[in-house]
Amino acid sequence: MAKLVAVTACPTGIAHTVMAAEALRRTAALMGHAIAVETQGSNGVQTPLSAADIAAADAVILATDIAVDDSRFVGKPILRTSTAAAIRDTKTVIGNALGHAPGAQPETAAPQPAPKPTPTAVRSPGLLVAITACPTGIAHTFMAAEALKQAAQAKGYRIKVETQGSVGAKNALTEEEIAEAEAVIIGADTHVATDRFSGKRLLKTSVGEALKQPARVIDEALALPAPAATGSTAAPAYAEAVSGAKARQKETQSGPYKHLLTGVSFMLPFVVAGGLLIALSFVFGIEAFKEPGTLPAALMQIGGEAAFGLMVPVLAGYIAYSIADRPGLAPGFIGGMLAAKIGAGFLGGIVAGFLAGYIARWLRDTIRLPQNLEGLKPVLIIPLLGTLAVGLLMVYVIGTPVAAIMNGLTAFLQSMTGANAVALGALLGAMMALDMGGPVNKAAYTFAVGLLASNTYTPMAAVMAAGMTPPLGLALATMVVPSRFTMQEREAGKAAGVLGLAFITEGAIPFAAKDPLRVIPAAMAGSAVAGALSMWFGCGLRAPHGGVFVLAIPNAVAPLGPYVLAIVAGTIVTTLGLMVLKRRVEADPAAAPALDTAAPTSSSPAPSGAGR
């Protein structure tokens, strides 16, 4: 019996980290080996390896998708692989690690299988660099990064992926890595600056394409013609013109939506912080903030006046930034502030943002100055003229009509009852589950978030309830009818449940991607029920995120009982839909060893044991 230690880690530390650790533990036990596994992720280090564990180990397995400190394993044979390989091909990973054990280090060992998990030891492959970014930077960003890493590894390339989102940039690319890279891939649904990639093959695509078709995206990037030499000024100018033409073509198709998502992604932290602070003020009583000088009054001032006061200007400012880069910031923020003061709300902010962005970009492309005065354009001329134009349009032309539309929409929504409210809730709910974090989902969420500033809270409650039910329903289904899911899906169901509780609809994506024609209709049915019931009960939510963790704050959701009932009902409907639509999985080779261990005398009790 060999003794092994392992570390598993993925960017979130939620799904792949735990699944890889469990797969290693079970398979090692079946093979008659002892193993201690440490997991690392966004929630810190779990089950840390002790010095005694490491000293007694015959080999070390690092199944990681992020950089981990390996200095404590000096002198031990180390096998490096990905969490996906540890989940899908666990026996091979453990076998390769044991193949290294008799030798000193993986590099000096001669066995042939070693190059598979560590291709860099066999040859020196080319380097690719990439950036992935979605509006929230929670799920799609990291999932697309992992997909690109796996596809690059399969093709024999090294890859460094920088992730960008509302939490900022992680795993940032260095100048040396960019200089060495053979190609650059931008898989993003928000604005990403590309100035630092001048002179490189550069492929721009969506985060969805990078997630669903990573191999094709890499092939397209490598197939791009090599950039022209920088020896003359004409060649770069031509290359820049071609890139600009391609960008304009893409912009006519999906540019406005991308700009809107960029504004929403920057606005979200203000809305979340403000909403939660407002909710905290209600802990002391629903009207306690009206007493001057008290803590509830201070919380309301911070959240309601400051954070929510910045919501519309930030939305407008970063829409303009996405369109025109930094020159659009000043006219965008000022136009958004005017929209808020006029009462045009988030609709006015969207209009001001697009106006500011396109005006600033037109000024940037139209105004021609001598080379020594060119630096005045982005800091003086464009902000001044752009702000003047946007401000006058908002004050004299656009602001008042948009404010009237916003007031009418708010009054209509606040007066909705009965069948109309149910229909709206069902529509918003179905939109949340249709693409689970995609454009339709984001449109429903943006609509609900924007209404918070107008004291309209019922759509937000419907949207969050509907967004929680797809992963919760799938998690419940993997436990109720485990025979309809593979072993890996049953393990993923546990992580999906946690993500659902936290209002991360993307937790259902792996299931939907594998079986969309059955999973998506069931998820839409459950989300529509959750949204409809939430609106029927008149539930209002003052915080735009947080899932069940917000429910613990008194008065953040009202009424609380019916709201929980709406979420439970939607989850049950999703589960029932999956029970009807999903088919029984045939013999699952990956699950067979675990099933034998759980119930060696019978195959029927095995699924419930595996799905505990």
Side-chain angles (χ1 to χ4, degrees), residues 536-557:
W536 173 265
F537 294 137
C539 300
L541 174 66
R542 290 171 169 81
H545 216 292
V548 296
F549 306 102
V550 174
L551 305 186
I553 301 175
N555 301 313
V557 183

Side-chain angles (χ1 to χ4, degrees), residues 416 418-428 532 535:
M416 286 185 73
N420 290 334
V422 170
L424 177 62
L427 174 62
L428 291 173
M535 291 292 288

Side-chain angles (χ1 to χ4, degrees), residues 420-565:
N420 290 334
V422 170
L424 177 62
L427 174 62
L428 291 173
M431 290 173 67
M432 289 297 292
L434 177 62
D435 52 5
M436 302 175 190
V440 178
N441 172 287
K442 289 294 189 293
Y445 182 70
T446 301
F447 172 75
V449 169
L451 291 171
L452 290 178
S454 304
N455 298 322
T456 305
Y457 305 117
T458 51
M460 188 70 252
V463 162
M464 190 167 88
M468 293 168 65
T469 55
L472 287 175
L474 281 158
L476 181 60
T478 59
M479 294 185 285
V480 175
V481 281
S483 60
R484 312 293 171 88
F485 300 90
T486 64
M487 173 63 121
Q488 290 183 6
E489 288 175 329
R490 294 198 292 271
E491 291 296 328
K494 300 172 185 176
V498 175
L499 294 175
L501 291 174
F503 181 36
I504 299 176
T505 317
E506 289 88 343
I509 287 177
F511 296 89
K514 189 172 181 180
D515 193 5
L517 295 180
R518 295 181 177 88
V519 172
I520 292 178
M524 289 180 66
S527 293
V529 168
L533 287 176
S534 176
M535 291 292 288
W536 173 265
F537 294 137
C539 300
L541 174 66
R542 290 171 169 81
H545 216 292
V548 296
F549 306 102
V550 174
L551 305 186
I553 301 175
N555 301 313
V557 183
L560 178 58
Y563 188 64
V564 173
L565 178 62

Side-chain angles (χ1 to χ4, degrees), residues 232 249 433 447 511 567:
S232 69
Q249 286 176 351
F447 172 75
F511 296 89
I567 296 172

